[in-house]
Each structure stands twice: as C-alpha cells, then as structure tokens.
Amino acid sequence: MKERTIARSVEVVGIGLHKGVPVRMVLEPLGAGHGIVFVRSDLHAQMPLSHKSVVDTTMATTLSSRNNPRARISTVEHLLSAVSAYGIDNLKISVDNEEIPIMDGSAIAHCMLLDEAGIVELEAPKSFMRITREVEVRDGVKFAKISPNPSLSFDFTINFPHPMIREQHYHFEFSRQQYKEQIARARTFGFLQEVNYLRSIGLAKGGNLNNCIVLDEQGIVNQEGLRYEEEFVRHKILDAMGDLAFLGMGVIGAYHSYMGSHKLNAMLVNEVLETQAYEVVHVSPTPQKQDTSSAEVAVAYH
C-alpha cells in the first residue's frame, strides 16, 4: 500500500465550537513524505501533526506553533478522525482563525469534504505502527490503553449520571465504510448546566443545537433526538481516532478506554512514542505472509 493525499484542493466555511467565530478552512494536497501540516493562514504560521505540538486538551485538542505561540488551532480531533479513517498521510490544512469549523458536531461533513476532494496514492510505501506491547495510562478510575492486535479496533465505555446516558459501551472494528456508517455521524455532546461555566472560561461559545447534542437534567433538548442509540460513546471513539492520529501513522492495535478523554489520549500517545512500544511495518500491494495482519488494516481503508 502507498501513501495517500487528496486529489484536489477543497474549502469550507463554518464556525468554531468554542470561540464561536467564522473560520475558512482549506485542504490542499501534499507530496509523499510531507505528512499532515496545519497552517494559520492569518498568522503565516505552520505546525506539523506531532504530539509535541499539542498544548492543551481541555474539552478539545489544541495545537500551537513552536515559532509563534500565539498561533493556535483548536478542536482538530474531528477532522483528524476523518483524515485518519481515509488513510491520508499527506495534507495541508489551512485555517484563518483559531479553530477547525465544528460543522454539525460530528465528522461526517469532513468525510463529505474528503469525498469531494478525492483520494490519490503517491509513489511511496505507506507506514503502519504495529503495537508490540500493551501501554496503559490512568487518571483515577479512568484509563486508556492500547494493546497488540492483528487489526485496528476500539472498545470504549462511558458512565455519566444522566438518565439518557448512564453506562454505554461500544466495540468498533475499523474499516472506512464501517467508520462512515457507525462512527462518523456521532455528534459531540454537552450538558446545559455546564454551558455558563464553559463560556466563562472561553469555551462553547459557538455551541448550539445544530452542532451539539445538548442535555438538560432529564433528557435531550434537540428535537430530532439521537442518530444512534449509543451516540454518546460512539462520539468518544470518533474523538479517540482523531487523537491517535498524533502517533504519526496508521495504527495496528486494539484501543480500549473507560471514560477516556483528550487528556488521556494525549498521555497514551506520548507513552507509546516514548517507550517505543511499536514497530514500523510497510505493506506492499501483495503483502508477504508475515505482513498479513498489516494487510488487513490496509484493506480496511479501501
């Protein structure tokens, strides 16, 4: 399998979930070996897709430029979730403000944008990170871990003291098609009683019923209801896929979490990279026997 980028440039205008300001986002193709690069076009600042660029994980994953700390881009996880699901290795993502547009609060609009752009293969072999030993990070009873596995899977459990959520569990075996059907349409969610506090600290200013599931004390405020029975936990898997993109390549392993967060996901990425709990493998169009497990993941992107 070869590295991928998009076939042509595409753009979209939306608002940011937390700052509530209009944002123009442009996606452009990049050549093999360039990786995924974020650009604040209004500040002429670049930041690579790297765990070292992550500076905040409060309610969203936020990047900052090393050369210009004022140049930040927040809420990157939904877009990166879709980019990861499409197996894209090289991409320029430019925005003219501080956030990635929230769209409808899920990743399906980003999938549609990538479908519009088209995907092309480049003349370079694609690398995968195969997890070789279990790595776990914890925050009290909450945890996130990743273990050796012949393919990419996600197993997530959440437990909120709310009658519409309580304990939810979802297991997801990755393929791009299953991602679009089972995960991509799951929206972010928030609690009405927390809105005033979040806005007092500069967050959730752009949140509304068009881009977020809002819950009051008893139920869901959105008149259309849920898209999936387990939409809340499915969105957590969507987030986790975006956060794991900071590992820098496609992953072969089993992710498992209880009440995981952007913070725990960032901790997990750092631990995997720092302890080198992986090996890098390449997949040819006709993989050898020893690469069969890698090939299963490669086929899932088609």
Side-chain angles (χ1 to χ4, degrees):
M1 189 175 183
K2 297 179 179 180
E3 288 191 9
R4 291 180 170 184
T5 188
I6 57 176
R8 66 183 186 89
S9 298
V10 288
E11 67 177 81
V12 68
V13 176
I15 64 165
L17 174 63
H18 291 299
K19 299 303 178 183
V21 295
V23 186
R24 176 176 177 262
M25 179 174 75
V26 181
L27 306 183
E28 300 174 78
L30 286 178
H34 284 78
I36 295 172
V37 180
F38 288 87
V39 177
R40 275 292 299 271
S41 55
D42 57 324
L43 298 176
H44 308 288
Q46 291 192 10
M47 52 204 84
L49 178 68
S50 167
H51 68 293
K52 295 179 180 179
S53 297
V54 177
V55 294
D56 192 4
T57 54
T58 305
M59 304 298 291
T61 298
T62 301
L63 314 180
S64 177
S65 169
R66 296 181 193 176
N67 298 324
N68 183 357
R70 288 196 313 116
R72 295 163 67 99
I73 302 178
S74 182
T75 324
V76 300
E77 61 272 9
H78 299 173
L79 173 60
L80 286 178
S81 182
V83 168
S84 175
Y86 277 63
I88 296 171
D89 306 280
N90 305 282
L91 184 67
K92 181 180 178 182
I93 302 166
S94 300
V95 291
D96 62 0
N97 219 309
E98 199 167 325
E99 277 189 274
I100 299 295
I102 190 60
M103 311 310 287
D104 73 343
S106 75
I108 194 63
H110 299 308
C111 291
M112 295 170 65
L113 198 63
L114 294 173
D115 287 336
E116 180 185 345
I119 309 299
V120 295
E121 290 193 335
L122 303 166
E123 292 302 318
K126 185 178 180 72
S127 298
F128 287 93
M129 176 181 289
R130 179 154 52 196
I131 301 300
T132 55
R133 63 177 179 80
E134 183 174 287
V135 175
E136 179 176 337
V137 295
R138 303 190 71 93
D139 181 9
V141 298
K142 303 175 183 180
F143 71 83
K145 66 181 179 180
I146 194 162
S147 310
N149 201 54
S151 59
L152 177 61
S153 67
F154 294 83
D155 196 280
F156 214 118
T157 301
I158 58 175
N159 194 337
F160 287 91
H162 189 282
M164 291 301 297
I165 306 179
R166 301 200 187 280
E167 183 170 291
Q168 286 191 0
H169 170 259
Y170 199 77
H171 181 81
F172 174 60
E173 295 285 340
F174 173 76
S175 77
R176 183 169 70 172
Q177 187 58 39
Q178 292 301 311
Y179 172 82
K180 292 174 72 173
E181 294 175 1
Q182 298 180 23
I183 302 298
R185 296 180 65 249
R187 294 161 293 174
T188 192
F189 60 95
F191 300 94
L192 195 59
Q193 62 266 34
E194 295 179 354
V195 170
N196 289 337
Y197 167 71
L198 290 174
R199 289 180 174 171
S200 73
I201 61 173
L203 299 175
K205 292 182 178 180
N208 58 58
L209 296 178
N210 295 319
N211 57 34
C212 182
I213 303 171
V214 178
L215 299 108
D216 60 19
E217 292 183 0
Q218 297 300 319
I220 297 168
V221 178
N222 309 64
Q223 290 187 354
E224 73 274 18
L226 297 175
R227 295 176 177 177
Y228 309 102
E229 183 178 353
E230 320 90 342
E231 187 166 359
F232 304 102
V233 70
R234 293 194 199 204
H235 184 80
K236 289 292 189 178
I237 292 176
L238 186 159
D239 280 346
M241 288 186 64
D243 289 337
L244 289 188
F246 287 93
L247 287 169
M249 62 189 79
V251 180
I252 305 169
Y255 171 95
H256 183 201
S257 182
Y258 175 76
M259 292 295 287
S261 62
H262 298 302
K263 175 185 175 181
L264 276 170
N265 291 335
M267 290 168 58
L268 182 63
V269 166
N270 290 339
E271 189 69 13
V272 168
L273 294 174
E274 289 177 6
T275 62
Q276 297 185 333
Y278 64 91
E279 61 180 350
V280 177
V281 296
H282 298 90
V283 182
S284 63
T286 54
Q288 300 298 316
K289 185 175 181 180
Q290 64 267 28
D291 283 333
T292 300
S293 59
S294 305
E296 292 174 2
V297 176
V299 170
Y301 288 112
H302 292 305

